[in-house]
């Protein structure tokens, strides 16, 4: 294992040494040179690894699926290859940017996760060091989708040459806020499909957490939008939006106390969408894209209000009397019209939030000026963004469903085999050997399935316990 680690460190060092030079200034010929195949392969490979493989590997890690280690190991190898390709392409040259800097920074979590993963596979120091290392491994692993999203975004910015000079502020506003809406959609989907029991145990309604985040975000926004001097129209609009968020957030926190549902966060989303749709823009296509973004956000808020008021009236804690069971789980097996409608309707709000986030991220002045110069109309551009939104949200739902159906969360299956007592045997880990949980060596025999309340230390083989 140590030889593998040394080889990886040496390879990373060599990659840094042989990296191609970045130019402080580019000639017009260098900036407009064609993209060679090596760079296209680099972009496709890194998008596959960081956008698809690592998120799936993270889910497999959460469920202790046997495919976690092979998938992540493959991802590390492909990442290394993509790193070399990104520094060996010809053709178009790029100015030094955050994408290259962040690529070097990513070596730290990649190397840390690799070292920790090898250490954990050795199963040493079970009662001394290992209990402190496992949470670190989990935190880094859960950060991979965020790191990958950020680096892919930096890659697009570098590829197009955006966000330099006076455009930086607008880029930060659009990309951070747009990513925030998408993150909101991800958390809402997780809560909807697999997180309801956690919400119930917390004794808080989802709107309590929504309102808390909105309040903090509003306070930050109130004091960061104006940078001195004369107040512009946009400064005033953005600052008052911050005030709207923290004042509305305080009301939402108060109304959602004692596990009560609240429509205030949804109402704030509607008002934010209306404000964004009324932003004055320099180009007509920009005005129309911003208007569509605002309408999409308003529709997301409206659908959330309908869902709260008519489909999921409460998130009562476990053990509490709850006459109106949440339609998220439909634990009573109801097949009523309302239950069927709830199952379909619940996806609408997070999908619209995802679409609104992508629309806002696609609405910077530089992006829309490029679209305008290429004589593309706003209808085509908006439909392209919504097409990406369908793909992105499909992948989000896929990952959440993957968590619910693989590894330790896969439902056990009964096989046609009985022991001497004529008791049917249950295969540990789930429905298929390909997605089942990694069995504990020397556990309580082939019929035991590790439950959520089981202590792994108690189930370890005698030679593994200290």
């Amino acid at each position: 294992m140590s030889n593998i680690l040394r080889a990886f460190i040496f390879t990373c060092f060599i990659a840094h040494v042989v990296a191609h030079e970045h130019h402080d200034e580019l000639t017009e010929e260098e900036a407009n040179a064609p993209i060679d195949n090596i760079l296209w392969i680099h972009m496709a490979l890194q998008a596959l690894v960081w956008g698809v493989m690592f998120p799936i590997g993270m889910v497999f890690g959460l469920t202790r699926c046997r495919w976690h280690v092979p998938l992540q190991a493959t991802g590390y190898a492909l990442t290394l290859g993509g790193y070399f390709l990104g520094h060996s392409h010809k053709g178009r040259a790029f100015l030094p940017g955050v994408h290259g800097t962040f690529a070097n920074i990513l070596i730290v979590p990649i190397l840390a996760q690799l070292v920790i993963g090898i250490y954990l596979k050795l199963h040493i120091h079970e009662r001394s060091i290992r209990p402190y290392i496992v949470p670190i491994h989990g935190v880094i692993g859960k950060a991979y989708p965020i790191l990958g999203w950020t680096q892919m975004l930096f890659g697009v910015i570098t590829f197009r040459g955006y966000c330099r000079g006076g455009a930086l502020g607008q880029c930060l506003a659009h990309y951070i806020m747009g990513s925030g809406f998408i993150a909101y959609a991800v958390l809402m989907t997780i809560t909807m499909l697999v997180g309801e029991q956690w919400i119930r145990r917390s004794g808080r309604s989802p709107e309590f957490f929504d309102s808390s985040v909105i309040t903090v975000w509003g306070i930050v926004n109130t004091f960061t939008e104006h940078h001195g001097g004369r107040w512009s129209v946009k400064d005033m609009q953005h600052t008052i939006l911050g005030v709207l968020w923290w004042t509305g957030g305080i009301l939402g926190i108060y109304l959602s106390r004692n596990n009560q549902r609240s429509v205030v966060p949804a109402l704030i989303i509607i008002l934010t969408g209306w404000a964004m749709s009324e932003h004055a823009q320099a180009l007509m296509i920009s005005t129309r894209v911003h208007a569509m973004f605002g309408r999409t956000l308003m529709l997301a808020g409206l659908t959330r209000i309908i869902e709260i008021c008519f489909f999921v009236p409460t998130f009562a804690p476990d053990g509490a009397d709850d006459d109106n069971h949440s339609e998220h789980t439909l634990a009573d097996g109801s097949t009523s019209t309302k239950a069927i409608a709830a199952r379909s309707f619940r996806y609408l709000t997070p999908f619209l939030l995802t679409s609104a986030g992508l629309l806002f991220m696609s609405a910077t002045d530089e992006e829309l000026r490029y679209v305008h110069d290429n004589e593309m109309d706003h209808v085509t551009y908006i439909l392209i963004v919504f097409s990406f939104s369908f793909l992105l949200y499909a992948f989000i739902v896929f990952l959440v469903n993957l968590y619910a159906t693989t590894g330790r969360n896969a439902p056990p299956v009964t096989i046609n085999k009985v022991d001497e007592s004529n008791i049917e045997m249950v295969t540990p880990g789930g429905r298929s050997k390909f997605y089942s949980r990694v069995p504990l060596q020397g556990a309580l025999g082939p019929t035991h399935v590790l439950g959520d309340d089981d202590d792994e230390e108690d189930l370890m083989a005698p030679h593994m316990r200290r």
Side-chain angles (χ1 to χ4, degrees):
M1 292 297 182
S2 60
N3 291 333
I4 296 175
L5 181 58
R6 284 197 293 268
F8 184 84
I9 296 174
F10 177 74
T11 305
C12 292
F13 174 76
I14 293 298
H16 181 73
V17 171
V18 303
H20 67 79
E21 291 188 23
H22 289 276
H23 306 279
D24 293 330
E25 295 183 3
L26 296 180
T27 65
E28 185 176 352
E29 181 180 358
E30 290 174 326
N32 297 321
I35 304 297
D36 70 340
N37 291 333
I38 293 178
L39 186 55
W40 284 119
I41 295 173
H42 162 77
M43 291 187 288
L45 188 62
Q46 298 296 62
L48 173 66
V49 173
W50 287 94
V52 179
M53 292 181 63
F54 279 155
I56 293 177
M58 177 202 68
V59 173
F60 283 162
L62 291 173
T63 63
R64 295 191 69 241
C65 176
R66 63 179 68 249
W67 283 97
H68 169 66
V69 173
L71 188 62
Q72 297 300 77
T74 303
Y76 288 138
L78 293 178
T79 297
L80 183 61
Y83 187 88
F84 275 112
L85 292 175
H87 289 84
S88 60
H89 70 85
K90 306 298 181 182
R92 184 175 301 180
F94 301 93
L95 290 170
V98 67
H99 180 67
T101 302
F102 198 65
N104 294 327
I105 294 175
L106 281 178
I107 293 177
V108 176
I110 290 174
L111 188 59
Q113 195 73 336
L114 180 63
V115 172
I116 292 174
I118 294 173
Y119 169 79
L120 294 178
K121 290 299 290 184
L122 295 177
H123 289 283
I124 58 177
H125 311 123
E126 294 286 350
R127 293 188 177 274
S128 56
I129 301 176
R130 184 184 174 91
Y132 299 98
I133 300 298
V134 172
I136 298 175
H137 185 69
V139 169
I140 299 176
K142 293 180 182 69
Y144 265 43
I146 299 175
L147 297 174
W149 175 268
T150 304
Q151 179 65 339
M152 287 188 291
L153 183 59
F154 288 160
V156 173
I157 292 172
T158 300
F159 181 75
R160 293 297 312 155
Y162 292 154
C163 305
R164 294 186 178 275
L168 179 60
Q170 189 192 57
C171 278
L172 290 174
H174 279 258
Y175 294 146
I176 292 176
M177 191 172 185
S179 298
F181 285 127
I182 296 173
Y184 189 12
V186 171
L187 294 176
M188 189 177 292
T189 304
I190 293 173
T191 301
M192 175 180 68
L193 296 179
V194 297
E196 181 180 330
Q197 293 305 316
W198 182 87
I199 292 292
R200 288 178 180 273
R201 289 194 299 269
S202 72
R204 307 280 190 179
S205 68
E207 288 71 45
F208 175 85
F209 300 102
D210 295 354
S211 300
S212 300
V213 174
I214 288 172
T215 300
V216 174
W217 188 272
I219 292 173
V220 172
N221 222 59
T222 299
F223 298 103
T224 57
E225 288 299 327
H226 180 64
H227 306 286
R230 181 177 176 273
W231 282 78
S232 67
V233 173
K234 287 190 176 182
D235 283 351
M236 289 187 284
Q237 287 181 344
H238 291 158
T239 300
I240 198 60
L241 273 176
V243 175
L244 174 78
W245 293 339
W246 67 257
T247 53
I250 290 174
L251 176 60
I253 292 173
Y254 183 76
L255 293 180
S256 59
R257 73 193 191 284
N258 301 325
N259 195 44
Q260 298 299 310
R261 304 304 302 269
S262 170
V263 298
V264 172
L267 183 59
I268 294 174
I269 291 175
I270 292 175
L271 291 173
T272 302
W274 170 79
M276 292 294 178
S277 68
E278 295 295 322
H279 261 319
Q281 305 295 327
L283 296 174
M284 180 59 68
I285 187 173
S286 183
T287 300
R288 289 175 174 172
V289 172
H290 277 81
M292 189 62 186
F293 158 68
R295 292 166 188 157
T296 304
L297 205 57
M298 292 167 68
L299 186 57
L302 178 61
T303 55
R304 184 63 170 170
I305 290 176
I306 294 173
E307 183 184 3
I308 291 171
C309 294
F310 298 102
F311 290 129
V312 283
T314 185
F315 269 90
D318 289 336
D321 292 333
D322 183 12
D323 295 332
N324 297 313
H325 293 290
S326 168
E327 300 291 353
H328 281 316
T329 54
L330 303 173
D332 59 355
S334 173
T335 57
S336 65
T337 302
K338 180 179 179 181
I340 295 173
R343 285 176 173 174
S344 300
F345 194 86
R346 60 184 180 173
Y347 293 101
L348 190 52
T349 301
F351 168 72
L352 290 170
L353 286 172
T354 302
S355 302
L358 287 180
L359 279 170
F360 198 57
M361 295 176 69
S362 306
T364 65
D365 287 344
E366 291 173 306
E367 291 169 320
L368 294 177
R369 192 177 299 113
Y370 174 78
V371 174
H372 175 75
D373 292 342
N374 283 272
E375 299 182 352
M376 181 185 294
D377 69 305
H378 68 283
V379 175
T380 303
Y381 186 66
I382 290 172
L383 291 180
I384 290 173
V385 175
F386 268 95
S387 298
F388 279 110
S389 179
F390 279 120
L391 288 176
L392 178 58
Y393 190 64
F395 187 62
I396 292 170
V397 176
F398 167 76
L399 289 178
V400 179
N401 287 330
L402 196 67
Y403 173 83
T405 57
T406 61
R408 64 182 178 185
N409 297 327
V413 291
T414 302
I415 59 176
N416 295 323
K417 182 179 179 181
V418 295
D419 61 8
E420 296 178 355
S421 303
N422 293 324
I423 298 176
E424 284 189 313
M425 307 283 283
V426 178
T427 57
R431 64 176 67 177
S432 167
K433 66 179 181 179
F434 296 109
Y435 294 100
S436 62
R437 178 177 183 166
V438 178
L440 294 176
Q441 299 295 327
L444 301 182
T447 63
H448 183 78
V449 179
L450 186 65
D452 292 336
D453 297 329
D454 290 331
D455 187 350
E456 288 191 22
E457 291 290 340
D458 294 335
L459 299 178
M460 286 180 182
H463 71 278
M464 296 175 64
R465 293 197 293 263
R466 300 284 180 181

